[in-house]
Amino acid sequence: MKKKPTHEQFQKQLDHMVQTLRADILEGKYATGDYLPSELVQAKMFRLSNKSVRKGLDILNAEGWIEKIPRVGSRVLAKRETVRLTVGINRTDEVNMKLSGLAELFCKRYPWIELEFVPFVSDLGGPGDQRKLAEFDAIVINHLQFQRMKESGHLHLFAPLPEKREIYPFLSGLFKDGGMHYVYPIIFSPIVLCYNKRHFRERGLAEPDGSWTWDDLVRNAIELTNGNGRFGFAFYLLNENRWPLFWLQAGEDLRQEGRSPESLRHSRLMDAARLCKSIISNRDFFPMFLSENNREINAMFQEGRLSMVINSYMGMNDWQESPGLEYDVSPLPYMNEPITLMISQGVGVLKQTGHPEEAMLLADFLTSLPGQQYIGSHTLSIPSHWGADSSPNKKAFAVPGRYSMYREMMFSYRTHASLGIPALSYSHIFKHVRAYWADLIDERELCERMAEALSEREEHVPG
């Protein structure tokens, strides 16, 4: 009995049919006005059922390569002109998504489209965004950048997108406003603790697990520091995906009204600020290293100079080419509740693009099953498509043994929005917290400045 092909095998056969016919049309094998072979002939050519052939022809029809004439056949339309899409990206997107490989797959599927990825330097949400984004057809942004654009009234720059049910629902909500989707999530990650397994083994210490508090981390970090250039723990403090963790774990919402300086001083938020200060100022395990970004911290971990770091699954892509690094992941230590920050990157189509059809094809491909499976097999980033298998045995490189832990942690995911601080206010708020951590102001002055900043937020930021 002939074995029925799997869904994946069927999809490959269907893709082969569509790509072959596209190439034949582009190369002139079928000229404008010609008819493609009959469905019966194509079924034999590509070893597909008549029903599957019709699916492939529907794809070519939707893309504008052919027109289907009832009871006659499929007639080739005029050859498509080359279209070049300019896509704005963040600096780390190439590593986190293997964009060059995705572009190759996309352009093979849509040979008339060329892609140019252009890094942009902007937090977004500023008055010059409309001018900055005018050069792009599509843009890859994170959910915090999206939130800033939402707060500054710039979502009108995006074209609304139809809903995609195959994307994790908790991700889609990050890029919606008024019930409309403006960005498709591509990848996501919780913030986790990464640790050097060899260091723990050498010291005879039990590896981190979900029961760890920050006190457990401090105690083990001191043990792991060897006084010879190796420190127990560090993270890049200035990153917006790092310092808010402590406030999230405090479990208090800054949206609460009536935050007086005195109430802030006796709140769990202040407990979190004290905890973070005690960690970063402890020279028994935390190095006084003025890192410029996460990658410098990741490089120190890679070199064995740090035993533990705070990182994301995306950040772990920095260690793909480090076969000698024996590390694993664990949930973050917790303060009051086992909570962690969840971050996401997505793609949006700019409304002013001169190529809306092609830009939509790109957005759809990056979140399609083939595109998401490519990300899942070539990176440590987590695909947003719940059906894309990103299990360790699907990857062609070493993967932490506890890689799949992110699934069990989903109950603990929170976003920046959980703090109740407008995304546009982050730098202003953090300026005061940094001054406190540097002993430039005391707790009393910090709470006064925080109360004032929160009051200003209520008055000036749209609800």
Side-chain angles (χ1 to χ4, degrees), residues 380-405:
L380 286 161
S381 305
I382 308 170
S384 64
H385 190 304
W386 52 259
D389 189 353
S390 61
S391 56
N393 60 359
K394 293 288 184 179
K395 302 182 190 294
F397 46 86
V399 176
R402 299 163 73 182
Y403 175 88
S404 300
M405 180 188 69

Side-chain angles (χ1 to χ4, degrees), residues 284-418:
D284 288 336
F285 65 87
F286 199 101
M288 190 175 66
F289 177 71
L290 303 179
S291 54
E292 293 186 2
N293 50 49
N294 285 323
R295 286 197 154 173
E296 288 196 343
I297 294 291
N298 285 351
M300 291 176 67
F301 182 79
Q302 183 178 7
E303 293 163 4
R305 296 184 179 278
L306 291 173
S307 297
M308 295 181 285
V309 294
I310 295 176
N311 205 358
S312 67
Y313 278 62
M314 301 168 197
M316 291 192 296
N317 287 307
D318 288 344
W319 303 326
Q320 260 195 52
E321 306 300 324
S322 305
L325 178 61
E326 189 183 355
Y327 78 99
D328 217 326
V329 295
S330 176
L332 278 180
Y334 68 92
M335 181 182 170
N336 292 309
E337 301 178 61
I339 284 174
T340 191
L341 179 65
M342 188 269 294
I343 58 177
S344 180
Q345 293 276 109
V347 58
V349 174
L350 277 305
K351 194 177 287 184
Q352 88 286 337
T353 176
H355 310 290
E357 178 189 351
E358 288 78 12
M360 284 296 297
L361 286 173
L362 175 62
D364 185 65
F365 173 78
L366 291 175
T367 50
S368 69
L369 190 56
Q372 291 281 289
Q373 287 177 330
Y374 182 88
I375 291 172
S377 60
H378 289 79
T379 76
L380 286 161
S381 305
I382 308 170
S384 64
H385 190 304
W386 52 259
D389 189 353
S390 61
S391 56
N393 60 359
K394 293 288 184 179
K395 302 182 190 294
F397 46 86
V399 176
R402 299 163 73 182
Y403 175 88
S404 300
M405 180 188 69
Y406 72 89
R407 295 182 184 276
E408 312 307 321
M409 292 176 57
M410 287 182 175
F411 76 94
S412 69
Y413 290 1
R414 303 292 187 276
T415 66
H416 292 85
S418 302

Side-chain angles (χ1 to χ4, degrees), residues 434-455:
R434 279 189 301 164
Y436 163 70
W437 285 335
D439 287 327
L440 296 175
I441 60 176
D442 59 17
E443 289 186 12
R444 179 188 57 77
E445 188 171 356
L446 170 62
C447 293
E448 288 175 353
R449 293 186 180 187
M450 284 284 295
E452 182 180 354
L454 291 171
S455 175

Side-chain angles (χ1 to χ4, degrees), residues 229-276:
R230 188 178 88 191
F231 288 83
F233 175 64
F235 63 95
Y236 180 52
L237 180 65
L238 303 185
N239 190 290
E240 290 172 327
N241 298 328
R242 300 294 183 269
W243 66 266
L245 284 165
F246 293 89
W247 278 3
L248 276 173
Q249 290 192 349
E252 291 191 337
D253 190 333
L254 283 167
R255 276 174 288 221
Q256 298 176 32
E257 296 181 6
R259 280 291 190 187
S260 67
E262 191 61 24
S263 68
L264 283 170
R265 191 167 183 182
H266 296 286
S267 69
R268 286 186 292 182
L269 291 167
M270 197 61 222
D271 291 339
R274 293 186 194 106
L275 171 62
C276 186

